[in-house]
Amino acid sequence: MQLVENTNWPSMTRLILSASWQTAFHVHYNRLPVLLHCSHGWDRTSQVAALSQLLLDPHYRTREGFSTLVEKDFLSFGHPFHTRCGHGEGKNEQGGDEGQLSPIFIQFLDCIFQLVNQFPDYFEFNPRYLLLQSEHIYSWRFGTLLCDSEQEREVVAGIRQRTYCMWEYLDSIPDLINPVFDRATSEKAGDLLMPLL
């Protein structure tokens, strides 16, 4: 356990969840707008914005809603999957900067994993759904999480025309549905999820 703590991964997970909860709290209870912006605008910003919406809105806790959330807050806003994951680049090839590698999306999935474990009745998908996404970031089997921007995916690489969609694949696997999910309870609650940090 000490080895994991030494990576600072658990503390980063707590910080991201805490920032997300604070954001959602101010939106929900104080009815305040919140401006989010990390140094580049596409790492912590996407993580905190998406997690806050997940805490606030039960729609994003469904498979359809979750794919919409990722498409909106990571893909459309230009999260640099290629740069952060090092897709296809060896050490310093093509001007690659190793300092740009960072498991931002994996951290995001881990935060959701923590929420799914704390609130299993509130999520339509199970932890395996998240695990498969984490595997397919690096599998190159689907074009969904490739490239650094929407323009690069659509115009330069033509990814959607040349690859399969990860969301369609995940939706085709019935074992990824959470058997204890209760849509009525999730929607009726309508309140902010309050994770243990």
Side-chain angles (χ1 to χ4, degrees), residues 62-86:
T62 65
R63 291 183 305 161
E64 176 188 354
F66 186 75
S67 65
T68 300
L69 187 66
V70 170
E71 291 278 339
K72 177 174 69 74
D73 285 330
F74 280 90
L75 298 171
S76 294
F77 284 161
H79 178 73
F81 281 98
H82 177 81
T83 300
R84 293 295 184 251
C85 298

PDB file of all heavy atoms in Angstrom, residues 62-86:
ATOM      1  N   THR A  62     -25.594   7.213 -16.697  1.00  0.00           N
ATOM      2  CA  THR A  62     -26.037   6.148 -17.595  1.00  0.00           C
ATOM      3  C   THR A  62     -24.970   5.962 -18.668  1.00  0.00           C
ATOM      4  O   THR A  62     -24.108   6.819 -18.851  1.00  0.00           O
ATOM      5  CB  THR A  62     -27.379   6.498 -18.271  1.00  0.00           C
ATOM      6  OG1 THR A  62     -27.184   7.629 -19.131  1.00  0.00           O
ATOM      7  CG2 THR A  62     -28.460   6.787 -17.245  1.00  0.00           C
ATOM      8  N   ARG A  63     -25.028   4.865 -19.395  1.00  0.00           N
ATOM      9  CA  ARG A  63     -24.038   4.634 -20.451  1.00  0.00           C
ATOM     10  C   ARG A  63     -24.161   5.691 -21.543  1.00  0.00           C
ATOM     11  O   ARG A  63     -23.156   6.226 -22.006  1.00  0.00           O
ATOM     12  CB  ARG A  63     -24.180   3.224 -21.011  1.00  0.00           C
ATOM     13  CG  ARG A  63     -23.759   2.183 -19.989  1.00  0.00           C
ATOM     14  CD  ARG A  63     -23.815   0.771 -20.508  1.00  0.00           C
ATOM     15  NE  ARG A  63     -25.135   0.450 -21.022  1.00  0.00           N
ATOM     16  CZ  ARG A  63     -25.394  -0.548 -21.850  1.00  0.00           C
ATOM     17  NH1 ARG A  63     -24.423  -1.328 -22.255  1.00  0.00           N
ATOM     18  NH2 ARG A  63     -26.613  -0.791 -22.262  1.00  0.00           N
ATOM     19  N   GLU A  64     -25.382   5.984 -21.943  1.00  0.00           N
ATOM     20  CA  GLU A  64     -25.584   7.008 -22.979  1.00  0.00           C
ATOM     21  C   GLU A  64     -25.082   8.370 -22.496  1.00  0.00           C
ATOM     22  O   GLU A  64     -24.384   9.081 -23.214  1.00  0.00           O
ATOM     23  CB  GLU A  64     -27.066   7.112 -23.346  1.00  0.00           C
ATOM     24  CG  GLU A  64     -27.362   8.201 -24.341  1.00  0.00           C
ATOM     25  CD  GLU A  64     -28.853   8.426 -24.569  1.00  0.00           C
ATOM     26  OE1 GLU A  64     -29.677   7.658 -24.031  1.00  0.00           O
ATOM     27  OE2 GLU A  64     -29.187   9.393 -25.285  1.00  0.00           O
ATOM     28  N   GLY A  65     -25.430   8.721 -21.270  1.00  0.00           N
ATOM     29  CA  GLY A  65     -25.008  10.002 -20.720  1.00  0.00           C
ATOM     30  C   GLY A  65     -23.512  10.090 -20.532  1.00  0.00           C
ATOM     31  O   GLY A  65     -22.898  11.129 -20.773  1.00  0.00           O
ATOM     32  N   PHE A  66     -22.900   8.979 -20.111  1.00  0.00           N
ATOM     33  CA  PHE A  66     -21.457   8.994 -19.891  1.00  0.00           C
ATOM     34  C   PHE A  66     -20.699   9.197 -21.195  1.00  0.00           C
ATOM     35  O   PHE A  66     -19.741   9.976 -21.260  1.00  0.00           O
ATOM     36  CB  PHE A  66     -21.004   7.702 -19.202  1.00  0.00           C
ATOM     37  CG  PHE A  66     -19.557   7.736 -18.822  1.00  0.00           C
ATOM     38  CD1 PHE A  66     -19.135   8.476 -17.731  1.00  0.00           C
ATOM     39  CD2 PHE A  66     -18.617   7.057 -19.568  1.00  0.00           C
ATOM     40  CE1 PHE A  66     -17.789   8.530 -17.382  1.00  0.00           C
ATOM     41  CE2 PHE A  66     -17.277   7.095 -19.223  1.00  0.00           C
ATOM     42  CZ  PHE A  66     -16.873   7.838 -18.130  1.00  0.00           C
ATOM     43  N   SER A  67     -21.135   8.519 -22.253  1.00  0.00           N
ATOM     44  CA  SER A  67     -20.456   8.704 -23.543  1.00  0.00           C
ATOM     45  C   SER A  67     -20.624  10.145 -24.025  1.00  0.00           C
ATOM     46  O   SER A  67     -19.688  10.741 -24.556  1.00  0.00           O
ATOM     47  CB  SER A  67     -20.964   7.707 -24.584  1.00  0.00           C
ATOM     48  OG  SER A  67     -22.320   7.924 -24.890  1.00  0.00           O
ATOM     49  N   THR A  68     -21.792  10.724 -23.805  1.00  0.00           N
ATOM     50  CA  THR A  68     -22.023  12.123 -24.166  1.00  0.00           C
ATOM     51  C   THR A  68     -21.089  13.039 -23.377  1.00  0.00           C
ATOM     52  O   THR A  68     -20.503  13.979 -23.930  1.00  0.00           O
ATOM     53  CB  THR A  68     -23.490  12.522 -23.889  1.00  0.00           C
ATOM     54  OG1 THR A  68     -24.343  11.695 -24.676  1.00  0.00           O
ATOM     55  CG2 THR A  68     -23.745  13.977 -24.198  1.00  0.00           C
ATOM     56  N   LEU A  69     -20.941  12.771 -22.103  1.00  0.00           N
ATOM     57  CA  LEU A  69     -20.077  13.577 -21.233  1.00  0.00           C
ATOM     58  C   LEU A  69     -18.624  13.541 -21.705  1.00  0.00           C
ATOM     59  O   LEU A  69     -17.965  14.585 -21.808  1.00  0.00           O
ATOM     60  CB  LEU A  69     -20.189  13.059 -19.799  1.00  0.00           C
ATOM     61  CG  LEU A  69     -19.501  13.856 -18.704  1.00  0.00           C
ATOM     62  CD1 LEU A  69     -20.154  15.222 -18.549  1.00  0.00           C
ATOM     63  CD2 LEU A  69     -19.554  13.093 -17.384  1.00  0.00           C
ATOM     64  N   VAL A  70     -18.119  12.362 -22.010  1.00  0.00           N
ATOM     65  CA  VAL A  70     -16.732  12.238 -22.476  1.00  0.00           C
ATOM     66  C   VAL A  70     -16.566  12.904 -23.836  1.00  0.00           C
ATOM     67  O   VAL A  70     -15.593  13.628 -24.074  1.00  0.00           O
ATOM     68  CB  VAL A  70     -16.290  10.756 -22.511  1.00  0.00           C
ATOM     69  CG1 VAL A  70     -14.952  10.596 -23.214  1.00  0.00           C
ATOM     70  CG2 VAL A  70     -16.237  10.186 -21.107  1.00  0.00           C
ATOM     71  N   GLU A  71     -17.521  12.679 -24.724  1.00  0.00           N
ATOM     72  CA  GLU A  71     -17.458  13.322 -26.051  1.00  0.00           C
ATOM     73  C   GLU A  71     -17.445  14.838 -25.917  1.00  0.00           C
ATOM     74  O   GLU A  71     -16.697  15.526 -26.608  1.00  0.00           O
ATOM     75  CB  GLU A  71     -18.646  12.890 -26.919  1.00  0.00           C
ATOM     76  CG  GLU A  71     -18.632  11.455 -27.353  1.00  0.00           C
ATOM     77  CD  GLU A  71     -17.770  11.177 -28.574  1.00  0.00           C
ATOM     78  OE1 GLU A  71     -17.473  12.114 -29.337  1.00  0.00           O
ATOM     79  OE2 GLU A  71     -17.398  10.005 -28.769  1.00  0.00           O
ATOM     80  N   LYS A  72     -18.245  15.343 -25.009  1.00  0.00           N
ATOM     81  CA  LYS A  72     -18.383  16.792 -24.834  1.00  0.00           C
ATOM     82  C   LYS A  72     -17.184  17.405 -24.120  1.00  0.00           C
ATOM     83  O   LYS A  72     -16.577  18.358 -24.613  1.00  0.00           O
ATOM     84  CB  LYS A  72     -19.680  17.067 -24.060  1.00  0.00           C
ATOM     85  CG  LYS A  72     -19.961  18.502 -23.710  1.00  0.00           C
ATOM     86  CD  LYS A  72     -21.327  18.657 -23.077  1.00  0.00           C
ATOM     87  CE  LYS A  72     -21.452  18.061 -21.713  1.00  0.00           C
ATOM     88  NZ  LYS A  72     -20.795  18.806 -20.647  1.00  0.00           N
ATOM     89  N   ASP A  73     -16.838  16.877 -22.952  1.00  0.00           N
ATOM     90  CA  ASP A  73     -15.847  17.539 -22.103  1.00  0.00           C
ATOM     91  C   ASP A  73     -14.400  17.101 -22.328  1.00  0.00           C
ATOM     92  O   ASP A  73     -13.492  17.768 -21.846  1.00  0.00           O
ATOM     93  CB  ASP A  73     -16.205  17.359 -20.625  1.00  0.00           C
ATOM     94  CG  ASP A  73     -17.364  18.236 -20.222  1.00  0.00           C
ATOM     95  OD1 ASP A  73     -17.518  19.313 -20.809  1.00  0.00           O
ATOM     96  OD2 ASP A  73     -18.118  17.851 -19.315  1.00  0.00           O
ATOM     97  N   PHE A  74     -14.192  16.026 -23.036  1.00  0.00           N
ATOM     98  CA  PHE A  74     -12.820  15.632 -23.354  1.00  0.00           C
ATOM     99  C   PHE A  74     -12.560  15.756 -24.851  1.00  0.00           C
ATOM    100  O   PHE A  74     -11.633  16.439 -25.272  1.00  0.00           O
ATOM    101  CB  PHE A  74     -12.532  14.201 -22.883  1.00  0.00           C
ATOM    102  CG  PHE A  74     -12.238  14.113 -21.411  1.00  0.00           C
ATOM    103  CD1 PHE A  74     -13.269  13.919 -20.502  1.00  0.00           C
ATOM    104  CD2 PHE A  74     -10.946  14.228 -20.936  1.00  0.00           C
ATOM    105  CE1 PHE A  74     -13.009  13.848 -19.146  1.00  0.00           C
ATOM    106  CE2 PHE A  74     -10.678  14.162 -19.574  1.00  0.00           C
ATOM    107  CZ  PHE A  74     -11.707  13.971 -18.683  1.00  0.00           C
ATOM    108  N   LEU A  75     -13.377  15.109 -25.675  1.00  0.00           N
ATOM    109  CA  LEU A  75     -13.104  15.072 -27.104  1.00  0.00           C
ATOM    110  C   LEU A  75     -13.374  16.411 -27.792  1.00  0.00           C
ATOM    111  O   LEU A  75     -12.514  16.938 -28.485  1.00  0.00           O
ATOM    112  CB  LEU A  75     -13.908  13.950 -27.760  1.00  0.00           C
ATOM    113  CG  LEU A  75     -13.563  12.551 -27.239  1.00  0.00           C
ATOM    114  CD1 LEU A  75     -14.545  11.524 -27.760  1.00  0.00           C
ATOM    115  CD2 LEU A  75     -12.149  12.171 -27.596  1.00  0.00           C
ATOM    116  N   SER A  76     -14.552  16.984 -27.592  1.00  0.00           N
ATOM    117  CA  SER A  76     -14.885  18.237 -28.267  1.00  0.00           C
ATOM    118  C   SER A  76     -14.094  19.431 -27.750  1.00  0.00           C
ATOM    119  O   SER A  76     -13.814  20.363 -28.495  1.00  0.00           O
ATOM    120  CB  SER A  76     -16.381  18.535 -28.138  1.00  0.00           C
ATOM    121  OG  SER A  76     -17.115  17.570 -28.842  1.00  0.00           O
ATOM    122  N   PHE A  77     -13.718  19.396 -26.484  1.00  0.00           N
ATOM    123  CA  PHE A  77     -12.937  20.503 -25.917  1.00  0.00           C
ATOM    124  C   PHE A  77     -11.439  20.347 -26.156  1.00  0.00           C
ATOM    125  O   PHE A  77     -10.642  21.137 -25.674  1.00  0.00           O
ATOM    126  CB  PHE A  77     -13.216  20.672 -24.427  1.00  0.00           C
ATOM    127  CG  PHE A  77     -14.532  21.329 -24.132  1.00  0.00           C
ATOM    128  CD1 PHE A  77     -15.109  21.205 -22.882  1.00  0.00           C
ATOM    129  CD2 PHE A  77     -15.211  22.068 -25.085  1.00  0.00           C
ATOM    130  CE1 PHE A  77     -16.320  21.802 -22.597  1.00  0.00           C
ATOM    131  CE2 PHE A  77     -16.426  22.664 -24.811  1.00  0.00           C
ATOM    132  CZ  PHE A  77     -16.983  22.530 -23.560  1.00  0.00           C
ATOM    133  N   GLY A  78     -11.051  19.295 -26.880  1.00  0.00           N
ATOM    134  CA  GLY A  78      -9.668  19.177 -27.309  1.00  0.00           C
ATOM    135  C   GLY A  78      -8.696  18.566 -26.330  1.00  0.00           C
ATOM    136  O   GLY A  78      -7.527  18.957 -26.301  1.00  0.00           O
ATOM    137  N   HIS A  79      -9.155  17.606 -25.523  1.00  0.00           N
ATOM    138  CA  HIS A  79      -8.183  16.933 -24.659  1.00  0.00           C
ATOM    139  C   HIS A  79      -7.161  16.231 -25.548  1.00  0.00           C
ATOM    140  O   HIS A  79      -7.527  15.470 -26.440  1.00  0.00           O
ATOM    141  CB  HIS A  79      -8.862  15.924 -23.734  1.00  0.00           C
ATOM    142  CG  HIS A  79      -7.881  15.188 -22.883  1.00  0.00           C
ATOM    143  ND1 HIS A  79      -7.236  15.789 -21.831  1.00  0.00           N
ATOM    144  CD2 HIS A  79      -7.404  13.936 -22.960  1.00  0.00           C
ATOM    145  CE1 HIS A  79      -6.401  14.925 -21.283  1.00  0.00           C
ATOM    146  NE2 HIS A  79      -6.491  13.787 -21.949  1.00  0.00           N
ATOM    147  N   PRO A  80      -5.876  16.463 -25.319  1.00  0.00           N
ATOM    148  CA  PRO A  80      -4.837  15.903 -26.197  1.00  0.00           C
ATOM    149  C   PRO A  80      -4.512  14.440 -25.876  1.00  0.00           C
ATOM    150  O   PRO A  80      -3.483  14.135 -25.268  1.00  0.00           O
ATOM    151  CB  PRO A  80      -3.638  16.821 -25.922  1.00  0.00           C
ATOM    152  CG  PRO A  80      -3.833  17.282 -24.518  1.00  0.00           C
ATOM    153  CD  PRO A  80      -5.317  17.385 -24.327  1.00  0.00           C
ATOM    154  N   PHE A  81      -5.373  13.533 -26.293  1.00  0.00           N
ATOM    155  CA  PHE A  81      -5.156  12.114 -26.023  1.00  0.00           C
ATOM    156  C   PHE A  81      -3.827  11.627 -26.598  1.00  0.00           C
ATOM    157  O   PHE A  81      -3.090  10.892 -25.955  1.00  0.00           O
ATOM    158  CB  PHE A  81      -6.310  11.261 -26.583  1.00  0.00           C
ATOM    159  CG  PHE A  81      -7.522  11.274 -25.716  1.00  0.00           C
ATOM    160  CD1 PHE A  81      -8.579  12.115 -25.988  1.00  0.00           C
ATOM    161  CD2 PHE A  81      -7.610  10.434 -24.624  1.00  0.00           C
ATOM    162  CE1 PHE A  81      -9.701  12.129 -25.178  1.00  0.00           C
ATOM    163  CE2 PHE A  81      -8.731  10.434 -23.806  1.00  0.00           C
ATOM    164  CZ  PHE A  81      -9.784  11.290 -24.091  1.00  0.00           C
ATOM    165  N   HIS A  82      -3.521  12.038 -27.814  1.00  0.00           N
ATOM    166  CA  HIS A  82      -2.273  11.608 -28.459  1.00  0.00           C
ATOM    167  C   HIS A  82      -1.056  12.050 -27.650  1.00  0.00           C
ATOM    168  O   HIS A  82      -0.163  11.264 -27.359  1.00  0.00           O
ATOM    169  CB  HIS A  82      -2.205  12.179 -29.878  1.00  0.00           C
ATOM    170  CG  HIS A  82      -0.943  11.864 -30.596  1.00  0.00           C
ATOM    171  ND1 HIS A  82      -0.726  10.664 -31.213  1.00  0.00           N
ATOM    172  CD2 HIS A  82       0.183  12.592 -30.781  1.00  0.00           C
ATOM    173  CE1 HIS A  82       0.478  10.662 -31.760  1.00  0.00           C
ATOM    174  NE2 HIS A  82       1.056  11.816 -31.510  1.00  0.00           N
ATOM    175  N   THR A  83      -1.042  13.303 -27.242  1.00  0.00           N
ATOM    176  CA  THR A  83       0.084  13.848 -26.482  1.00  0.00           C
ATOM    177  C   THR A  83       0.168  13.248 -25.088  1.00  0.00           C
ATOM    178  O   THR A  83       1.241  12.871 -24.625  1.00  0.00           O
ATOM    179  CB  THR A  83      -0.045  15.384 -26.376  1.00  0.00           C
ATOM    180  OG1 THR A  83      -0.045  15.921 -27.696  1.00  0.00           O
ATOM    181  CG2 THR A  83       1.088  15.988 -25.580  1.00  0.00           C
ATOM    182  N   ARG A  84      -0.955  13.156 -24.382  1.00  0.00           N
ATOM    183  CA  ARG A  84      -0.951  12.662 -23.010  1.00  0.00           C
ATOM    184  C   ARG A  84      -0.679  11.158 -22.924  1.00  0.00           C
ATOM    185  O   ARG A  84      -0.091  10.681 -21.966  1.00  0.00           O
ATOM    186  CB  ARG A  84      -2.278  12.982 -22.314  1.00  0.00           C
ATOM    187  CG  ARG A  84      -2.505  14.457 -22.084  1.00  0.00           C
ATOM    188  CD  ARG A  84      -1.469  14.998 -21.113  1.00  0.00           C
ATOM    189  NE  ARG A  84      -1.707  16.387 -20.806  1.00  0.00           N
ATOM    190  CZ  ARG A  84      -0.938  17.391 -21.231  1.00  0.00           C
ATOM    191  NH1 ARG A  84       0.115  17.141 -21.983  1.00  0.00           N
ATOM    192  NH2 ARG A  84      -1.207  18.625 -20.906  1.00  0.00           N
ATOM    193  N   CYS A  85      -1.128  10.404 -23.924  1.00  0.00           N
ATOM    194  CA  CYS A  85      -0.968   8.949 -23.883  1.00  0.00           C
ATOM    195  C   CYS A  85       0.253   8.469 -24.669  1.00  0.00           C
ATOM    196  O   CYS A  85       0.625   7.303 -24.565  1.00  0.00           O
ATOM    197  CB  CYS A  85      -2.219   8.268 -24.430  1.00  0.00           C
ATOM    198  SG  CYS A  85      -3.696   8.635 -23.472  1.00  0.00           S
ATOM    199  N   GLY A  86       0.853   9.354 -25.466  1.00  0.00           N
ATOM    200  CA  GLY A  86       2.022   8.958 -26.250  1.00  0.00           C
ATOM    201  C   GLY A  86       1.688   7.965 -27.340  1.00  0.00           C
ATOM    202  O   GLY A  86       2.483   7.098 -27.673  1.00  0.00           O
TER     203      GLY A  86
END
